[in-house]
Amino acid sequence: MIRHGGLSRQPYLGAQWFKRFVGQLFETSKMVWATALAGRPPPSRHNELSASHTILPSHPRMLRSLQKELRSKGFDLCHPIYTKWYNDMIRAEGLVASGALKTLPEPFAIEDDSGTVFNAVLIGNTKHIWPIFLNWLTDQKEGIERPFDTFVETSLPSALEKCLGNNTELESYELFWSNGKRHLIDQSQNSSKASSNVAKYHCYDFNNASFLVSMQRVATTTGKYWHDEKATKLCVHPEYGTWTAFRAVVVFKISNNTQTEIIPEIPQPCVCPVSDRDIEQAKKVFDLALKLSSSDENGYGATLDKSWTELCKYLHNTVCSGSDWDKVPSTMKPWIRLRDVISVGRNWKYDDAQLLYHYTKDPEILKKELNRIRKYNA
């Protein structure tokens, strides 16, 4: 028996099947009224007919607790997803068969008290993260390497541990980072399992240890983002525009795997929120960025004749001058401008320090920010 959207595909069995079907409807109606009188929401549409004989593990506050704690750490985007949606997408695009991407685990779904059914979350942030990061940085010793990456890689797991550490029904959860790291937290053994070379995982290391997840594709499965494949190559949110960043997908595995599998319906795709004019202008800026970068042997454009893995390496490892706009390399300026071409969400645009640091990783930017904070607090 295969479940899609909560309906069972079964062969026709005549009167016997019809009697069972009517019985299911009757039992479901009783449950809907009972839950309504108890002040709980009725079963969501994906399992209306199967709710009477299928029990999903109930974690009433799990999603809301996660969202609240993550937001306090700077990660104000936390979207519930079902990993099969993403896996089906990359299979259909031939990316699994080609070896470009791997499928995520597909553990059984869990349900919160709002009726949301999920087995993973996509975590990210808007400009909300910057002041929280700076406050964290003021308490760190000078000379810390990769300060922003270190902040993300410590603060995000800390928030997860605070919310999930005492969840006895959660067997494990696994983090799939945007840069290819993979980190399993085994709750059953009360231990953290990660490869000894986890710090070396990057999206450009295509080996057995790395695990690249296409965050843009995951984001589109939430129904909240439109992926601009024509111009910026970025995800665009109807409210936040291009001013978001995805940090990790976290997949949850529950201890009780005895229930019948439920596959929730994938949300409707986000309608394109960008005007044709913005897309046309963004395409011009994108083409200009490639043209200028092609003259730089370490630039974006030079990687196009080789492989996109080198582009990932450029993005993750390059540090260049950028403490103010005049010091930003000319080959990088169009790439920074590209986000701002899209007019949707400009109220959420990163401030200059966050924007320039995002692209250049210039430590002088952080020094200026910390000096500004110290003067303000003096």
Side-chain angles (χ1 to χ4, degrees):
M1 182 170 62
I2 302 174
R3 296 187 181 279
H4 291 284
L7 296 177
S8 305
R9 292 183 180 178
Q10 298 176 324
Y12 179 68
L13 299 178
Q16 181 181 4
W17 177 87
F18 182 77
K19 183 178 180 180
R20 187 187 308 122
F21 177 74
V22 172
Q24 287 182 354
L25 287 178
F26 177 72
E27 291 299 321
T28 302
S29 298
K30 290 197 299 182
M31 185 180 65
V32 169
W33 279 106
T35 55
L37 292 173
R40 294 176 53 212
S44 50
R45 61 177 179 172
H46 68 270
N47 63 344
E48 284 176 348
L49 294 183
S50 59
S52 60
H53 59 273
T54 298
I55 300 176
L56 289 177
S58 177
H59 298 261
R61 294 179 298 276
M62 178 175 166
L63 182 58
R64 283 182 295 173
S65 296
L66 271 176
Q67 290 170 335
K68 181 179 179 180
E69 183 62 26
L70 286 166
R71 182 178 179 83
S72 73
K73 299 291 186 181
F75 308 98
D76 53 334
L77 303 177
C78 179
H79 304 298
I81 61 169
Y82 190 71
T83 52
K84 190 179 188 306
W85 301 338
Y86 168 77
N87 292 342
D88 288 348
M89 178 184 294
I90 61 176
R91 285 194 188 101
E93 294 181 29
L95 297 171
V96 176
S98 69
L101 293 172
K102 303 174 186 177
T103 56
L104 289 167
E106 296 183 13
F108 284 101
I110 55 182
E111 184 174 20
D112 72 357
D113 54 358
S114 69
T116 302
V117 177
F118 61 102
N119 63 6
V121 291
L122 171 65
I123 299 174
N125 62 268
T126 64
K127 64 180 182 180
H128 175 76
I129 199 172
W130 191 249
I132 297 174
F133 161 63
L134 292 177
N135 287 336
W136 172 88
L137 190 59
T138 58
D139 296 329
Q140 307 304 309
K141 295 181 180 179
E142 292 186 8
I144 184 172
E145 295 185 5
R146 303 166 49 251
F148 187 80
D149 291 341
T150 301
F151 164 75
V152 171
E153 292 168 5
T154 56
S155 298
L156 197 156
S158 174
L160 293 173
E161 170 64 21
K162 185 173 181 180
C163 291
L164 306 175
N166 295 323
N167 190 328
T168 57
E169 294 184 12
L170 192 63
E171 181 177 309
S172 65
Y173 58 94
E174 193 163 10
L175 287 80
F176 295 86
W177 297 89
S178 60
N179 61 1
K181 296 180 182 179
R182 184 176 183 177
H183 192 186
L184 174 67
I185 308 298
D186 188 348
Q187 301 267 92
S188 62
Q189 301 298 324
N190 193 27
S191 63
S192 174
K193 295 182 179 180
S195 174
S196 60
N197 67 341
V198 67
K200 298 179 182 178
Y201 290 6
H202 287 289
C203 65
Y204 53 85
D205 290 333
F206 286 104
N207 52 49
N208 292 331
S210 65
F211 198 111
L212 176 64
V213 176
S214 174
M215 296 294 168
Q216 289 91 343
R217 287 179 173 83
V218 175
T220 60
T221 68
T222 69
K224 298 180 182 297
Y225 298 85
W226 175 75
H227 187 204
D228 178 13
E229 299 180 11
K230 294 182 179 179
T232 64
K233 316 302 180 184
L234 299 169
C235 277
V236 185
H237 188 277
E239 180 181 357
Y240 307 128
T242 59
W243 305 104
T244 60
F246 304 121
R247 303 300 172 186
V249 170
V250 183
V251 181
F252 309 107
K253 183 180 180 181
I254 55 174
S255 301
N256 178 16
N257 288 339
T258 60
Q259 76 279 9
T260 304
E261 182 178 8
I262 295 286
I263 301 176
E265 293 182 11
I266 186 170
Q268 290 296 315
C270 178
V271 177
C272 173
V274 184
S275 68
D276 292 340
R277 181 179 179 181
D278 280 1
I279 293 177
E280 183 180 350
Q281 183 62 28
K283 186 66 171 66
K284 292 178 181 178
V285 175
F286 184 84
D287 291 342
L288 173 63
L290 288 180
K291 181 179 179 180
L292 292 177
S293 296
S294 62
S295 62
D296 180 357
E297 64 179 9
N298 295 317
Y300 287 55
T303 67
L304 295 180
D305 294 331
K306 299 175 184 177
S307 71
W308 281 101
T309 60
E310 295 182 59
L311 176 56
C312 289
K313 185 174 182 179
Y314 183 92
L315 287 169
H316 286 295
N317 278 5
T318 298
V319 177
C320 62
S321 180
S323 55
D324 59 60
W325 183 253
D326 292 336
K327 294 180 180 180
V328 176
S330 60
T331 55
M332 185 171 284
K333 286 181 178 179
W335 295 107
I336 299 175
R337 289 195 183 104
L338 191 60
R339 282 180 180 257
D340 201 27
V341 171
I342 305 301
S343 56
V344 176
R346 281 206 179 121
N347 290 338
W348 289 89
K349 180 180 177 179
Y350 303 161
D351 64 24
D352 288 347
Q354 182 178 2
L355 178 58
L356 292 176
Y357 186 79
H358 177 78
Y359 283 91
T360 68
K361 300 179 179 65
D362 186 346
E364 290 298 318
I365 296 173
L366 299 183
K367 290 180 181 178
K368 286 185 176 181
E369 286 289 271
L370 292 180
N371 287 334
R372 177 181 60 82
I373 293 174
R374 291 188 184 103
K375 289 179 180 179
Y376 178 82
N377 292 332

